[in-house]
Amino acid sequence: MRVLLVAPHTIHKSIPLSHWTPLSLTFIASSLRRKGHDVSIFDRHAMIARLGLDRNLINRSMIDHVRRYKPDLVGFNTVSPLIYDTIDSIALIRKIYSGPMTAGGHHATTLPELTLRRIPELFALVQGEGETAMADLASGADPATVPGVWWRNGKDDIRRTPPQRNTDLDDLPFPALDLLDMKYYTRPSVSTIRGSYLSSVSILSSRGCERRCDFCSESTTYGRGARFHSVDYVMEWIRQILKDYDVQAVYFMDNDFLIDEERAGEICERMLSLGLHKRIMWAVQARANRIRPAILKQMKRAGCILIEIGIESILQDQLNSVHKGTTAQVNERAVNLIRRHGMHSHLYMITGFEGETLADLEKKLAWVKRLSLTSVNWFPLQLYPGTALYERRGRRFFEENDWTREKIRAYYENTSLAAFSARERDEWMRARFQPFFRWRYHLNLLLRNPPLQLARFIYQTRTKSGLL
């Protein structure tokens, strides 16, 4: 079959226009190819870089692509804050295409039956990991025999099979990155390896997380617990990337790279023995309580330059309220240890905890200043379906409201549980956080980038802004 996979248009302030390589659709694409199918990906996210923010231009480009490619099956990756874009894309494609359409991803996984009922053009969707299920559906398998599928059996009868996780991740072929606009995804950027102007490719060496923080939807598709690619698989994947693309860095998208410290250490030693530490730099995400001196020494020697940590808050009652499973003291110790071992940290923090006040934000800002942090993202709390926080405080938004662009964007812009309003939060950020952090951000760029690299970044930025 000819299978078209569609990624959503990411214009939403909680989803920045990043250069992180999207891997979910490319893993599915490579599994489809292994079964003998022809695959194409229309990436509405990357098209923003090529065509700008005009959704009409991107829509026309998508329709032209469908006409040229003539797919036999179309699949959509769904994300809750962008489900309206998927709905619009499905409606547009249906005007010129009469074949089967299916969906997967976070939104379809957390609200499978409701998604089928709200989007009648879909004949089925995949709950959980999609590689095996999509390959089986494209090969003509009866949905009743494919794990993790919800499908229509007549007008109102929806049936399902239980999802099944991939138990051997090494059985998956490397993702089909050639189906993406890799000139865009490998373009040097300071927003991928935070603060360093580098070209990079993202990889995923494990799936899932041992914890389930109340606000987090990251492991919804992968389920509880963590599974790992072998170190051999990871090394061969990196070598394949370096063969295909001229990049300077690799970004590990694992929810917690240090969940298995022994395995992380083995990856470091293999990078050293293969000489990869001389060819690339790399960055990871990890939990603060995993940060220990021994593994930091190995990571530094092997070429790691950045560790990202979701500390969320430095107020213990807020950490406890979302079952973060760490402490403010552990967070601070992690930052100091990373700095002591010659690497950089990037911290993710949250505003909008239940009952939070502007005085609480001032305490957090004082902590950021005291630690002289140069790389922080401070995002508003979001209530995603499938999370414990959505179940408690989401007011059944998706179950009881239309999935229109206006309603969904209003929901995600006003889900704060704090004592202050979204407007008051934004005013505080503009008046208090941004003036301080703006100069810290520029200092970070000066400290972390050689002069020629920095000059290239400045030139690129000014060109994009229309100054050159």
Side-chain angles (χ1 to χ4, degrees):
M1 296 186 76
R2 296 171 67 79
V3 183
L4 173 63
L5 304 175
V6 180
H9 181 276
T10 54
I11 292 303
H12 188 276
K13 67 180 181 181
S14 70
I15 305 176
L17 187 60
S18 71
H19 291 255
W20 292 308
T21 322
L23 296 176
S24 58
L25 288 185
T26 54
F27 265 116
I28 291 172
S30 61
S31 296
L32 285 161
R33 279 177 165 178
R34 185 164 64 178
K35 289 276 189 173
H37 303 292
D38 188 272
V39 189
S40 178
I41 293 177
F42 189 85
D43 184 357
R44 292 169 63 81
H45 168 87
M47 291 303 291
I48 297 171
R50 183 180 300 176
L51 298 177
L53 301 181
D54 189 335
R55 294 176 78 241
N56 292 324
L57 286 177
I58 294 173
N59 288 342
R60 285 200 292 271
S61 179
M62 180 180 69
I63 293 304
D64 289 343
H65 185 80
V66 174
R67 286 194 173 108
R68 287 193 306 270
Y69 185 65
K70 297 180 172 59
D72 303 304
L73 173 66
V74 182
F76 297 85
N77 181 38
T78 63
V79 185
S80 293
L82 304 168
I83 190 61
Y84 61 85
D85 185 72
T86 299
I87 292 172
D88 291 346
S89 297
I90 289 172
L92 286 168
I93 291 174
R94 179 54 84 208
K95 292 179 180 179
I96 62 166
Y97 165 81
S98 60
M101 294 195 280
T102 185
H106 164 261
H107 191 82
T109 291
T110 55
L111 299 169
E113 182 175 358
L114 187 59
T115 300
L116 276 182
R117 296 196 184 281
R118 292 289 184 91
I119 311 177
E121 295 91 346
L122 297 176
F123 87 97
L125 59 78
V126 176
Q127 184 177 35
E129 294 171 316
E131 290 91 352
T132 301
M134 278 296 290
D136 287 346
L137 289 174
S139 299
D142 182 346
T145 67
V146 181
V149 175
W150 292 65
W151 76 98
R152 302 181 192 280
N153 186 51
K155 182 179 179 181
D156 298 316
D157 183 20
I158 292 177
R159 300 189 180 183
R160 63 180 291 262
T161 57
Q164 180 176 303
R165 299 198 296 177
N166 293 314
T167 56
D168 182 8
L169 294 185
D170 281 7
D171 185 54
L172 297 172
F174 296 143
L177 300 184
D178 61 290
L179 295 177
L180 299 173
D181 180 359
M182 291 304 288
K183 287 185 178 179
Y184 165 71
Y185 283 111
T186 60
R187 186 181 303 168
S189 167
V190 297
S191 62
T192 305
I193 311 293
R194 304 281 190 171
S196 296
Y197 187 63
L198 299 169
S199 58
S200 66
V201 169
S202 306
I203 71 172
L204 186 69
S205 79
S206 65
R207 296 185 176 189
C209 182
E210 286 185 345
R211 295 202 61 84
R212 193 72 174 268
C213 303
D214 286 6
F215 59 86
C216 184
S217 63
E218 285 293 311
S219 291
T220 304
T221 302
Y222 297 139
R224 289 185 180 275
R227 290 159 294 143
F228 304 91
H229 286 289
S230 69
V231 176
D232 286 340
Y233 184 101
V234 176
M235 292 300 105
E236 186 56 36
W237 186 358
I238 292 175
R239 288 197 289 187
Q240 186 66 49
I241 286 170
L242 295 179
K243 178 183 175 183
D244 294 341
Y245 306 103
D246 182 21
V247 294
Q248 302 161 289
V250 166
Y251 179 85
F252 284 85
M253 298 186 76
D254 306 42
N255 285 340
D256 185 358
F257 180 79
L258 296 178
I259 196 169
D260 183 335
E261 185 174 321
E262 182 178 349
R263 175 180 175 273
E266 187 178 347
I267 288 175
C268 291
E269 293 307 313
R270 291 287 293 280
M271 283 190 167
L272 287 164
S273 66
L274 294 171
L276 294 176
H277 65 298
K278 298 177 181 179
R279 296 186 61 189
I280 56 167
M281 293 168 274
W282 47 286
V284 304
Q285 301 177 35
R287 283 178 56 83
N289 58 306
R290 312 277 190 206
I291 305 299
R292 288 185 274 269
I295 189 62
L296 291 180
K297 289 179 183 177
Q298 285 183 288
M299 293 171 70
K300 171 65 175 176
R301 286 177 54 237
C304 181
I305 62 171
L306 174 71
I307 300 178
E308 298 187 348
I309 306 174
I311 69 164
E312 324 314 348
S313 176
I314 53 93
L315 303 179
Q316 194 59 49
D317 60 333
Q318 292 183 348
L319 295 174
N320 295 342
S321 72
V322 294
H323 298 95
K324 181 64 183 178
T326 188
T327 67
Q329 291 76 21
V330 166
N331 288 339
E332 184 164 336
R333 177 178 178 271
V335 172
N336 289 328
L337 278 174
I338 292 168
R339 180 180 292 156
R340 196 176 304 156
H341 283 82
M343 290 179 285
H344 302 283
S345 61
H346 175 80
L347 304 187
Y348 294 96
M349 298 176 68
I350 291 175
T351 66
F353 284 93
E354 191 160 2
E356 185 171 56
T357 64
L358 294 179
D360 292 329
L361 296 186
E362 289 288 347
K363 293 176 185 176
K364 295 178 184 180
L365 179 58
W367 182 83
V368 168
K369 290 180 177 180
R370 179 168 62 81
L371 267 66
S372 297
L373 299 177
T374 57
S375 189
V376 179
N377 273 117
W378 213 341
F379 291 116
L381 182 68
Q382 306 277 264
L383 305 183
Y384 296 107
T387 65
L389 199 54
Y390 178 84
E391 294 302 316
R392 290 202 309 267
R393 299 300 305 273
R395 304 183 303 278
R396 291 180 55 81
F397 170 81
F398 284 96
E399 293 84 350
E400 297 180 1
N401 290 275
D402 295 333
W403 297 353
T404 63
R405 180 175 184 269
E406 293 72 24
K407 286 192 175 183
I408 288 176
R409 294 187 71 172
Y411 168 75
Y412 276 106
E413 289 167 5
N414 296 282
T415 55
S416 173
L417 306 177
F420 46 77
S421 67
R423 180 183 59 79
E424 289 172 321
R425 177 201 64 217
D426 292 344
E427 288 177 353
W428 184 90
M429 294 294 286
R430 283 193 295 270
R432 300 288 296 144
F433 176 71
Q434 290 176 7
F436 160 77
F437 201 71
R438 192 174 293 115
W439 76 268
R440 296 295 303 179
Y441 168 79
H442 289 103
L443 175 63
N444 189 34
L445 293 178
L446 287 171
L447 293 175
R448 291 177 58 177
N449 295 279
L452 182 58
Q453 205 161 283
L454 190 62
R456 287 173 179 162
F457 166 68
I458 294 171
Y459 179 83
Q460 179 203 48
T461 303
R462 296 186 70 191
T463 301
K464 282 184 176 180
S465 68
L467 297 177
L468 287 175

